Amino acid sequence: MVNKHVQFSEIINKGLSRRRFIQTSSTVAAFFTATPMASAIAKTTLKEPSINFKQVPVSTADTAIVPEGYQADVLISWGSPLFADSPAFSPSANSDAQLKQFGDNNDGMAFFPLTNERAVLAVNNEYTNYEYLLPNQGKTLSADDVKKAQAAVGNSIVELVYKNGHWIVNQNGRLNRRITANTPMEITGVAAGHPLLKTKADPTGTRALGTFANCANGATPWGTYLTCEENFDDFFGTDTNVAVDSNQERYGISPENKDYRWYEHDPRFDIAQNPNEPNRFGWVVEIDPMNPTSIPKKRTALGRFKHENAAVTINNDGYVVVYLGDDERGEHLYRFVSKNKYNPSNQEANRDLLEEGTLYVAKFDAKDGELKGTGQWIELTFGKNGLTAENGFASQAEIMIFARKAATHVGATTMDRPEWVAVNPHTSEVFCTLTNNKNRGVKPNQPVDAVNPREKNPYGHILRWNPSNGNHTAATFDWDLYLIAGNPTVHKDSLMAGSKNINKDNMFNCPDGLGFDKDGRLWILTDGDDSNKGNFAGMGNNQMLCGNPVTGEIRRFLTGPIACEITGITFSHDSKTMFVGVQHPGEEQAPSHFPDGGHSTPRSSIMRITRKDGGVIGA
Ligand code: FEO
Ligand code: CA
Ligand code: CA
């Protein structure tokens, strides 16, 4: 391992020397600009976005800081009233109150405009912090505590109205809705009705209750919202001594999971009593935010794993392509291609495009000694690539339910925790954050390789690929690394100091959220170590940066409050308001009172960011 480590450091140095030779004055450039990959991309029409704000310094303050000329206000926080008759926030609210309030730990979100003055914001509410949600910090749980926790997760559909120059919450909006861990859902697609999805309460295997662990998201051009179920295993457990099989183990299902203990009051979450219930989670769920009585649909054709987000793009030939990360150490990167084509002139006809299609998983190859190369998408279809009954795969439904196992069988590359994927709206390039991985180079199935080049990867990196011929349904792609995060003030070794586009003024760790705006600026949100010590000295609180996908320049745009993660990003239709999530400020009882100050309970919040001159964000 050590040899490889040194070897990749040398590669970075060589690459940088070569670039220095080629370039003259520019000090900020893409990592490995002088590679065949970069020039191949340069042949397509690249639109370089303008980035004109002044970078903010790192911060350890308990507030959200944005550049000069910008303002950041709280749009809504955990527990804020969502309906006209909702009670005001109170840390001691019961489950009935929580059902009428904005959910906890907002994560991915998407803005759906209705008119210039009316819109819907669909938001994920990922999990809860018992230390703030419950009166005795969850040390013991009452039945209503569990109900409150179940009411605080899922989604909040929030109607917005544009008034006095700002988007604000409209508590009288008829589209306001809470979706919780108990909302009826339909299981659709190839795995629907499979025996592994049947329970005592649902012998059909097609009617699930609820969604939770809703991490990041997607939005479709036909106006639906995609919410992605990530760490669902945390919500299941048991006090019964029960064995779990290797399929369940692969998804983290264990009697040892004691974080939320819903099983104490709700047998649906007791894996001894309902061993198939966890199989009904770990899906991408499609929600119609324009119809508050619609039944959300779990789309099993997109596979079951710990879904981060769902990056949707319509390929040139009309097929819907969805890129999907599975955020766990050593898990994989996936692509879904729809069976049917998108019809831009009939949105109703697109409603079930995610019902049928083909799932693929990525395998990366590299030229010897280079941090770039080619890759292929391997099809996860029953009867192909060894996914046969003889090899333990009984049907397409089982391949979807245990997609991780199928991915391993076909030789997919193990990755450093794929978080968000984002597709450049102006090119065919796709970016994915690989947030960190302490197991890299430690576990035998996670060797140091070109695409995951750093042992124990403490800082994360951002992968970029370009599908062959710009075709998102192609079997192959070229890839390189857009950046390697690092700390140049602590490390001299270039692999730990980070790629050339990282410097003492813009450094950060653990990229997680990722999104392009309409102009093609790449926004990078972090969920990293905010200790500001050791490897992370000088990095401060979690933050958001803006990347130029053409030059590689990275500039810090926002710093968050104490012990938060910055996650969730969307824009108003005119790009003049940015919505950004501040999740779990004060986590693990760190001293945050964001956003209300004083001695208040810290609350996850959505920030509304605008320019004082009313201009486009970032431009
Ligand atoms: Fe919910 Fe992988 O972040
Ligand atoms: Ca995340
Ligand atoms: Ca993360």
Side-chain angles (χ1 to χ4, degrees):
M1 272 338 134
V2 172
N3 283 344
K4 252 191 171 160
H5 189 100
V6 171
Q7 185 190 1
F8 287 128
S9 305
E10 285 167 359
I11 293 158
I12 290 179
N13 286 327
K14 275 186 208 151
L16 296 180
S17 318
R18 185 158 45 131
R19 202 196 58 234
R20 259 186 236 119
F21 176 75
I22 288 165
Q23 292 200 330
T24 48
S25 61
S26 172
T27 52
V28 197
F31 189 57
F32 284 118
T33 9
T35 64
M37 166 73 185
S39 50
I41 291 168
K43 278 180 201 154
T44 63
T45 321
L46 282 182
K47 184 183 169 191
E48 188 177 333
S50 63
I51 301 177
N52 281 326
F53 61 87
K54 189 174 160 208
Q55 167 160 282
V56 297
V58 294
S59 165
T60 54
D62 194 27
T63 187
I65 298 171
V66 288
E68 271 171 40
Y70 284 79
Q71 52 206 357
D73 309 289
V74 174
L75 177 78
I76 195 166
S77 303
W78 160 53
S80 296
L82 187 57
F83 304 94
D85 61 348
S86 302
F89 171 72
S90 160
S92 56
N94 64 13
S95 64
D96 287 338
Q98 179 64 71
L99 280 170
K100 293 188 165 194
Q101 296 168 330
F102 187 67
D104 201 359
N105 279 312
N106 47 275
D107 202 316
M109 59 183 149
F111 180 96
F112 296 90
L114 288 160
T115 67
N116 282 339
E117 286 89 33
R118 190 174 167 227
V120 171
L121 193 64
V123 184
N124 288 349
N125 297 114
E126 189 178 22
Y127 67 102
T128 61
N129 298 96
Y130 280 0
E131 67 263 39
Y132 299 122
L133 182 84
L134 301 176
N136 69 352
Q137 291 80 50
K139 286 177 197 125
T140 58
L141 291 180
S142 70
D144 196 67
D145 288 343
V146 170
K147 278 190 188 163
K148 184 180 180 186
Q150 293 178 341
V153 297
N155 308 89
S156 299
I157 312 292
V158 186
E159 234 190 273
L160 304 181
V161 62
Y162 194 73
K163 255 193 185 153
N164 303 325
H166 289 292
W167 289 100
I168 57 171
V169 173
N170 177 12
Q171 292 172 6
N172 294 303
R174 63 178 179 80
L175 301 180
N176 290 335
R177 181 183 189 186
R178 279 303 321 281
I179 292 169
T180 72
N182 290 302
T183 301
M185 312 243 152
E186 187 184 342
I187 301 174
T188 80
V190 65
H194 189 276
L196 282 164
L197 300 185
K198 293 179 180 175
T199 62
K200 275 174 249 168
D202 171 30
T204 72
T206 60
R207 298 276 158 190
L209 282 182
T211 186
F212 43 83
N214 306 86
C215 185
N217 69 296
T220 68
W222 53 94
T224 58
Y225 181 71
L226 304 177
T227 184
C228 300
E229 296 175 341
E230 191 192 27
N231 298 314
F232 61 91
D233 54 319
D234 292 345
F235 297 83
F236 292 93
T238 187
D239 284 332
T240 306
N241 189 9
V242 65
V244 294
D245 66 21
S246 63
N247 285 324
Q248 300 291 55
E249 255 174 33
R250 179 75 186 261
Y251 286 81
I253 302 301
S254 162
E256 307 300 315
N257 292 350
K258 302 292 181 195
D259 281 358
Y260 300 110
R261 308 185 326 274
W262 287 0
Y263 65 85
E264 289 184 6
H265 293 283
D266 188 343
R268 184 155 70 94
F269 296 92
D270 188 317
I271 56 171
Q273 295 185 55
N274 285 292
N276 281 351
E277 187 67 17
N279 296 338
R280 293 143 67 87
F281 297 86
W283 302 105
V284 172
V285 186
E286 187 169 12
I287 297 170
D288 179 358
M290 302 305 164
N291 179 357
T293 62
S294 60
I295 297 175
K297 295 181 176 182
K298 300 203 172 195
R299 298 299 193 185
T300 65
L302 278 66
R304 176 171 168 266
F305 40 91
K306 295 191 181 179
H307 280 281
E308 183 73 18
N309 82 333
V312 180
T313 190
I314 306 296
N315 198 39
N316 292 337
D317 55 12
Y319 291 103
V320 182
V321 173
V322 189
Y323 291 105
L324 305 154
D326 180 355
D327 179 11
E328 190 136 60
R329 297 178 192 103
E331 289 297 338
H332 307 292
L333 181 64
Y334 295 82
R335 178 188 72 173
F336 168 85
V337 179
S338 64
K339 180 183 174 212
N340 297 312
K341 290 186 180 184
Y342 175 67
N343 182 347
S345 56
N346 181 1
Q347 293 296 16
E348 268 314 297
N350 298 317
R351 288 271 159 182
D352 286 318
L353 281 174
L354 302 183
E355 182 80 14
E356 285 182 276
T358 308
L359 191 66
Y360 301 80
V361 67
K363 183 173 187 215
F364 293 82
D365 301 298
K367 289 192 191 121
D368 218 12
E370 295 196 81
L371 299 185
K372 64 188 176 66
T374 56
Q376 49 180 309
W377 292 107
I378 308 177
E379 189 172 336
L380 300 179
T381 296
F382 181 63
K384 292 189 181 175
N385 299 318
L387 300 174
T388 60
E390 305 84 76
N391 289 330
F393 299 92
S395 64
Q396 186 62 29
E398 270 198 44
I399 290 171
M400 291 298 105
I401 295 167
F402 300 123
R404 287 178 161 186
K405 191 172 132 190
T408 298
H409 192 81
V410 304
T413 303
T414 62
M415 306 297 287
D416 285 354
R417 297 186 53 197
E419 299 244 32
W420 294 48
V421 182
V423 183
N424 189 324
H426 299 290
T427 71
S428 50
E429 285 180 321
V430 192
F431 292 68
C432 175
T433 46
L434 297 162
T435 194
N436 61 57
N437 182 6
K438 66 182 181 189
N439 292 342
R440 180 61 56 187
V442 176
K443 296 224 167 164
N445 72 332
Q446 295 167 55
V448 171
D449 59 19
V451 70
N452 301 281
R454 187 161 50 193
E455 198 171 42
K456 298 184 183 170
N457 192 7
Y459 299 113
H461 54 289
I462 299 182
L463 164 69
R464 165 173 61 183
W465 68 91
N466 198 18
S468 297
N469 304 312
N471 173 10
H472 289 286
T473 66
T476 56
F477 55 87
D478 294 315
W479 67 268
D480 71 353
L481 301 181
Y482 174 66
L483 65 79
I484 300 178
N487 193 328
T489 68
V490 171
H491 297 284
K492 294 283 173 274
D493 152 28
S494 56
L495 200 52
M496 289 292 275
S499 48
K500 194 65 182 174
N501 46 354
I502 302 301
N503 55 58
K504 67 177 174 45
D505 297 317
N506 69 4
M507 62 184 184
F508 62 94
N509 71 87
C510 303
D512 183 337
L514 197 63
F516 279 98
D517 62 25
K518 277 185 192 161
D519 292 338
R521 292 175 207 90
L522 180 62
W523 298 89
I524 303 164
L525 293 71
T526 76
D527 172 21
D529 187 313
D530 58 3
S531 63
N532 211 24
K533 291 190 299 211
N535 268 343
F536 309 99
M539 290 182 165
N541 293 348
N542 275 295
Q543 52 186 277
M544 177 163 73
L545 306 107
C546 183
N548 182 328
V550 180
T551 65
E553 179 192 356
I554 304 293
R555 213 182 280 191
R556 189 180 299 107
F557 180 78
L558 173 146
T559 55
I562 292 171
C564 80
E565 162 183 349
I566 303 298
T567 186
I569 179 166
T570 190
F571 293 85
S572 60
H573 57 293
D574 58 7
S575 303
K576 292 178 174 176
T577 302
M578 169 194 260
F579 300 92
V580 177
V582 170
Q583 197 193 50
H584 65 69
E587 188 180 48
E588 293 179 349
Q589 301 191 315
S592 173
H593 301 284
F594 185 84
D596 303 323
H599 298 287
S600 64
T601 302
R603 299 158 73 191
S604 294
S605 301
I606 295 174
M607 308 305 293
R608 178 190 68 202
I609 296 171
T610 50
R611 256 168 72 167
K612 289 176 183 166
D613 66 1
V616 168
I617 303 295

